[in-house]
Amino acid sequence: MNVLVVGRGGREHSLVMKLSESKQVTNLYAAPGNGGMQQQAACIDIDEMDIEGLVVFAKEKSIDLTVIGPENPLNAGIANRFKEEGLPVFAPTKEAAILEGSKSFAKEFMQQYDIPTASYAVFSDAQQAKAYIEEKGAPIVIKADGLAAGKGVIVALTKAEALQAVDDMLVSKAFSGAGSTIVIEEFLEGKEFSLMAFVNENQVFPMVTARDHKRAFDHDKGPNTGGMGAFAPVPDVTEEDLQFSMEHILKPTADGMLKEGRPFTGILYAGLIMTAEGPKVIEFNTRFGDPETQVILPLLKNDLVQVFTDVLNGKNPQLEWEDQSCAGVVLAAEGYPGSYNKGIPIPAFNKTESTFIVHAGTKLDGTSLLSDGGRVLLTGAKGNTLKQATDTIYQLLKNTKDQSGFFYRNDIGR
Ligand code: AMP
Ligand code: GLY
């Protein structure tokens, strides 16, 4: 089969690595890809938002399966266009991707289908939003309705912060159109975890759980980032929590989308929080999570091409998982998530059999690998326990020279 992965980050490199193991793959392409992917895939210089360019490429190369990484092309209708052209694609249509693309849609949907989540209200008028905050008090959470690259959520610990967030989004238009409607919701407390599933209409096949670390610095200090590390599975999520999440969250979501005339095919990602009343939804994504994917796929025993094919054909892919833990620590450019330098030489890692490197912001300059983003790469390892996996990673990082210009968290999975 000829397989195309759309995207350029760590999630997509992880997909490329897993897909490249499949004996069914003849040609593997990534568009646009990154410096690290070139080992396993041919990187094609087509932007992930150039949907027509990708359609033309897929037809030209007789692509048998396309997997889409990021949310923006999904919301722009890339799956719709591929389907119109008869090109097999594992991704939701824009009508289904709205579950991530509009937080107000997701909240109304959850309310209608009785899916546990924080109570909320939707506003586009700043005065009304502020009156609601005055009434409810803090802590309280303010969210831009649309896609804001993971930056559109303000967890306001004080009323002043909440009122400021309303001004930023509705008055100063900090997220332009994405923030012209906002969701204000109840602050929930508990440990978070991510649960993803392969979905085709009403069929839901869950993966193992993962937890990511979103803050920049140790002990969850510093600004929010795209994710500084992750591990899977999450030891504190019980079998009962998982069953509840399948029965009351993932399955009713797939069923509800079908009833809404928005059948969902692709990866359904539930960001969940363990409250005293059980798991509740913090957010839905309609794609693989980053960096969760980088620590989940290495535990999957199945051929990933076969999994996508089976799910698309309405067959149970019979997912099998290694009875191990997997962790990943992100190496980021100093200054990230604020401003940072690019073009820093990537250190040479002495990889062992149990470790792996997933590239995110890297590029090849001749034969040298240079940094090309804030989150540069992820160092990962598997182990019989989570501790063994993280110890292996930190050993590798400690033994790696020439890390100037980069930083990482010392407490991932710990
Ligand atoms: P999101 O982009 O929706 O995942 O939100 C980013 C982060 O904000 C989440 O991972 C949570 O840590 C936090 N968050 C979002 N919604 C809530 C909420 N209702 N209560 C507490 N924390 C929240
Ligand atoms: N790890 C969170 C996300 O992919 O949005």
Side-chain angles (χ1 to χ4, degrees):
M1 285 171 73
N2 297 322
V3 180
L4 168 65
V5 175
V6 175
R8 64 177 79 206
R11 161 184 52 207
E12 290 80 13
H13 188 199
S14 183
L15 281 162
V16 160
M17 285 164 84
K18 191 75 192 171
L19 290 165
S20 73
E21 291 170 11
S22 169
K23 292 195 175 64
Q24 301 186 57
V25 176
T26 328
N27 293 297
L28 183 57
Y29 302 95
N34 65 36
M37 289 190 210
Q38 316 216 354
Q39 285 187 19
Q40 298 99 9
C43 292
I44 308 303
D45 190 18
I46 307 177
D47 191 84
E48 52 270 65
M49 288 304 282
D50 180 4
I51 294 176
E52 291 315 313
L54 290 165
V55 165
V56 169
F57 176 80
K59 286 171 108 173
E60 213 175 83
K61 297 289 179 187
S62 309
I63 299 293
D64 301 294
L65 173 68
T66 299
V67 183
I68 317 287
E71 60 274 24
N72 286 322
L74 297 175
N75 278 273
I78 192 169
N80 303 61
R81 280 293 293 127
F82 270 64
K83 284 178 188 187
E84 274 165 25
E85 299 290 337
L87 292 162
V89 58
F90 191 84
T93 60
K94 66 177 180 209
E95 291 77 17
I98 192 174
L99 203 52
E100 172 171 5
S102 167
K103 291 196 189 286
S104 60
F105 173 89
K107 295 300 286 192
E108 278 160 41
F109 174 85
M110 285 188 271
Q111 192 169 49
Q112 187 174 344
Y113 290 94
D114 222 3
I115 294 164
T117 189
S119 64
Y120 77 103
V122 178
F123 299 95
S124 46
D125 176 83
Q127 288 318 319
Q128 287 173 10
K130 287 180 180 177
Y132 183 79
I133 290 167
E134 291 292 348
E135 180 199 324
K136 295 284 176 185
I140 195 161
V141 182
I142 323 293
K143 300 184 172 185
D145 181 58
L147 295 179
K151 299 188 181 80
V153 175
I154 304 293
V155 178
L157 298 179
T158 64
K159 234 192 308 189
E161 267 178 88
L163 297 172
Q164 184 64 47
V166 169
D167 275 334
D168 290 346
M169 291 187 199
L170 291 181
V171 182
S172 313
K173 305 278 179 211
F175 301 105
S176 54
S180 58
T181 298
I182 61 173
V183 169
I184 302 186
E185 67 177 39
E186 172 198 7
F187 173 82
L188 298 176
E189 264 186 296
K191 286 190 170 178
E192 291 177 51
F193 67 102
S194 311
L195 179 61
M196 295 194 278
F198 296 91
V199 174
N200 186 13
E201 304 203 339
N202 63 349
Q203 293 183 298
V204 180
F205 306 103
M207 303 183 210
V208 291
T209 55
R211 175 170 291 147
D212 72 351
H213 296 254
K214 288 189 174 155
R215 298 299 193 99
F217 309 127
D218 289 3
H219 312 297
D220 286 337
K221 296 275 184 333
N224 256 318
T225 71
M228 294 297 294
F231 60 89
V234 183
D236 49 85
V237 177
T238 64
E239 197 51 44
E240 197 187 337
D241 298 330
L242 273 181
Q243 266 179 21
F244 180 94
S245 305
M246 266 301 276
E247 235 168 85
H248 296 276
I249 296 170
L250 291 182
K251 278 194 181 141
T253 300
D255 290 343
M257 290 300 277
L258 199 53
K259 278 200 197 116
E260 294 294 307
R262 299 172 183 275
F264 191 101
T265 297
I267 301 297
L268 179 61
Y269 168 123
L272 303 175
I273 187 163
M274 291 291 311
T275 71
E277 295 153 32
K280 292 189 179 182
V281 177
I282 288 276
E283 64 164 344
F284 280 125
N285 293 326
T286 57
R287 51 167 175 83
F288 281 102
D290 190 332
E292 288 93 332
T293 302
Q294 291 90 308
V295 295
I296 288 179
L297 290 184
L299 296 173
L300 179 67
K301 287 190 189 170
N302 308 61
D303 173 338
L304 186 57
V305 174
Q306 193 60 46
V307 172
F308 287 134
T309 310
D310 284 348
V311 176
L312 282 175
N313 291 331
K315 268 173 57 184
N316 185 335
Q318 309 285 359
L319 299 177
E320 283 187 65
W321 302 96
E322 282 178 34
D323 189 18
Q324 281 201 307
S325 285
C326 186
V329 176
V330 168
L331 192 73
E334 264 168 27
Y336 173 80
S339 60
Y340 53 83
N341 290 327
K342 290 183 181 179
I344 313 165
I346 304 296
F349 291 93
N350 281 320
K351 273 193 307 165
T352 60
E353 221 171 87
S354 59
T355 60
F356 58 92
I357 308 287
V358 182
H359 288 242
T362 69
K363 66 169 182 213
L364 263 180
D365 182 26
T367 54
S368 337
L369 266 172
L370 302 176
S371 74
D372 194 35
R375 288 188 304 158
V376 176
L377 54 82
L378 174 141
T379 52
K382 289 197 269 190
N384 292 330
T385 60
L386 176 57
K387 182 172 185 313
Q388 197 183 53
T390 54
D391 284 353
T392 305
I393 296 170
Y394 284 114
Q395 195 62 42
L396 175 68
L397 283 164
K398 226 173 73 188
N399 292 341
T400 302
K401 293 195 187 75
D402 302 325
Q403 293 184 35
S404 70
F406 299 117
F407 77 101
Y408 57 83
R409 274 181 64 159
N410 291 286
D411 61 345
I412 302 300
R414 291 175 162 174

